């Protein structure tokens, strides 16, 4: 049970007004909600430490080394994405990854990725 802000009489939590003094309880509830601080999520300081293009290129490079077939598919998507965007600084790196993936596929020892070279 809640209390009326004016007469301190017990009132139902769903009551719109106090039955004893007639105070508007809904207006008081709205005022309390405005005063109550809202919880917020913590924000990271500044922009991301690694640009999106660099992170994409790193992930694609790792996949090309581990799984050449899947890596070639990801390289194709990454090259297409960079062609449609305004920034294309890493296109040469992606092309070299595509060449590396093709070399890996043509070589019998690395056909299944660089992990196949491990003993």
């Amino acid at each position: 049970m809640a209390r009326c802000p004016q007469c301190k009489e017990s009132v139902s939590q769903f009551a719109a007004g106090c039955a004893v003094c007639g105070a508007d309880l809904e207006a008081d509830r709205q005022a309390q909600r405005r005063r109550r601080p809202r919880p917020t999520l913590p924000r990271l300081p500044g922009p991301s430490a690694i640009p999106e293009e660099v992170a994409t290129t790193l992930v694609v490079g790792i996949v090309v080394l581990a799984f050449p077939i899947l890596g070639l598919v990801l390289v194709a998507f990454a090259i297409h994405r960079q062609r449609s965007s305004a920034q294309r600084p890493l296109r040469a790196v992606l092309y070299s990854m595509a060449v590396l993936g093709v070399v890996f596929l043509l070589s019998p020892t690395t056909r299944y990725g660089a992990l196949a070279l491990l003993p």
Side-chain angles (χ1 to χ4, degrees), residues 23-96:
D24 186 10
L25 299 176
E26 190 58 37
D28 186 58
R29 286 186 193 114
Q30 288 179 359
Q32 285 180 354
R33 280 188 218 121
R34 278 185 247 126
R35 286 185 295 223
R36 193 176 308 151
R38 294 183 180 201
T40 58
L41 294 174
R43 296 190 184 269
L44 295 175
S48 176
I50 300 176
E52 183 179 347
E53 293 86 13
V54 174
T56 302
T57 306
L58 289 174
V59 169
V60 168
I62 291 170
V63 173
V64 165
L65 291 175
F67 310 104
I69 295 174
L70 179 62
L72 285 174
V73 172
L74 289 179
V75 165
F77 281 122
I79 289 172
H80 175 71
R81 184 174 178 198
Q82 282 194 354
R83 279 188 185 175
S84 62
S85 70
Q87 295 180 348
R88 297 176 256 171
L90 300 173
R91 186 183 293 174
V93 176
L94 290 172
Y95 281 124
S96 62

